[in-house]
């Protein structure tokens, strides 16, 4: 197992130094233009510049995470999606040329979403949470409403377009489940809200590049048998990337918590990853905002990550 960290953009700062001090040398990055100030990474030169920045600061750029440019037309099946998917395929080709073999992607048109970002946690820390009751009072998306069948059709089309290109370029595409796992949200249906839905998604392509980001927290929120799913998907060699966090509640009403303060037996989970032979990257995910932090980037402030990374390193050492 490879301990990694998610970087937003390519500008070195204190987080980069702290990660190196904690012994992390594998980077996962979101390199969208609004974060880098450069062209999107379907442009090879732009992508190569970002990779060089990471390497010159002691990191191997192991993978990408999130939407690297606007994916709305692809996810919603709107006019212009053909041009967007061609850009996506160029990005996959660039990943192959640059030796970057992992892409954590999602099919959430509204992204990961929370109704609350400052709920109280242990010792005055604050965390994010979700309330379906609150979400139902919020306006419908400016794109309008979309059914689950429409989103499934769009996802199937996307997979057919990109998976052969990913496989040809040695890129593992790791599907992240919908967070929160509820549907619809703001009028747009979400399809990847259960283990059975993930199994359906996997059935759409038998490519060796078609697999999962196993986000423990989201499967916990789904009230699924997380330990059983690790073994199930692990036997199929479909877990390419792991996110480690914990939550309390139900799909309709939950909040994040510290890695050691939720319902999950984290050591059992780590043992399970070893038992299935998982050797890919994993990272700390969605952490509390702690004393002295701004909460501007809720879920991703650094002190909570320091705690989470240290906790995960302890679990890994205990194995």
């Amino acid at each position: 197992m490879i301990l990694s960290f998610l970087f937003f953009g390519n500008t070195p700062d204190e987080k980069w130094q702290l990660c190196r001090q904690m012994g992390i040398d594998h980077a996962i990055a979101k390199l969208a233009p609004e974060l880098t100030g450069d062209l999107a990474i379907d442009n090879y030169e732009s992508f190569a510049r970002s990779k060089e920045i990471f390497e010159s600061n002691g990191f191997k750029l192991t993978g990408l995470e999130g939407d690297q440019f606007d994916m709305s037309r692809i996810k919603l099946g709107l006019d212009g999606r053909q041009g967007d998917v061609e850009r996506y395929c160029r990005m996959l080709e660039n990943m192959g040329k640059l030796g970057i073999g992992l892409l954590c992607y999602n099919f959430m048109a509204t992204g990961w979403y929370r109704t609350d970002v400052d709920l109280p946690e242990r010792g005055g820390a604050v965390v994010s949470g979700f309330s379906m009751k609150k979400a139902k009072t919020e306006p419908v998306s400016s794109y309008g409403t979309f059914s689950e069948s429409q989103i499934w059709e769009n996802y199937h089309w996307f997979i057919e377009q990109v998976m052969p290109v990913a496989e040809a370029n040695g890129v593992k595409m790791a599907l992240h489940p919908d967070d929160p796992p509820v549907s619809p949200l703001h009028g747009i249906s979400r399809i990847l809200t259960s283990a059975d839905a993930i199994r359906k998604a996997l059935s759409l392509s038998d490519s060796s590049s078609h697999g999962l980001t196993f986000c423990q927290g989201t499967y916990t929120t789904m009230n699924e048998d997380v330990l059983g799913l690790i073994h199930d998907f692990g036997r199929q060699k479909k877990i390419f990337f792991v996110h480690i966090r914990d939550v309390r509640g139900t799909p309709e009403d939950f909040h994040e918590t510290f890695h050691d303060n939720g319902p999950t037996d984290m050591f059992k989970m780590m043992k399970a990853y070893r038992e299935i032979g998982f050797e890919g990257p994993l990272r700390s995910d969605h952490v509390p905002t702690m004393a002295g932090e701004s909460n501007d980037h809720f879920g991703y402030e650094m002190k909570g990550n320091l705690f989470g990374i240290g906790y995960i390193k302890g679990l890994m050492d205990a194995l």
Side-chain angles (χ1 to χ4, degrees), residues 112 117 126 128 284-289 295 297-301 305:
W112 80 279
V117 301
V126 296
S128 67
S284 170
D285 192 28
H286 295 190
V287 295
T289 297
N295 204 37
H297 200 186
F298 64 91
Y300 290 96
E301 298 290 357
N305 266 309

Side-chain angles (χ1 to χ4, degrees), residues 67 72 75-76 106-111 143 151 188-190:
D67 292 350
S72 300
K75 293 176 181 180
L76 298 177
N106 67 76
F107 217 73
M108 298 177 276
T110 47
Y143 291 108
I151 303 299
I188 299 177
S189 293
R190 294 156 82 87

Side-chain angles (χ1 to χ4, degrees), residues 220 244-248 255-259 261-264 266:
T220 300
I244 297 179
R245 61 184 172 94
D246 215 353
V247 294
R248 291 186 178 275
H255 66 272
E256 312 274 7
T257 188
F258 285 93
H259 289 74
N261 200 39
T264 304
M266 290 291 187

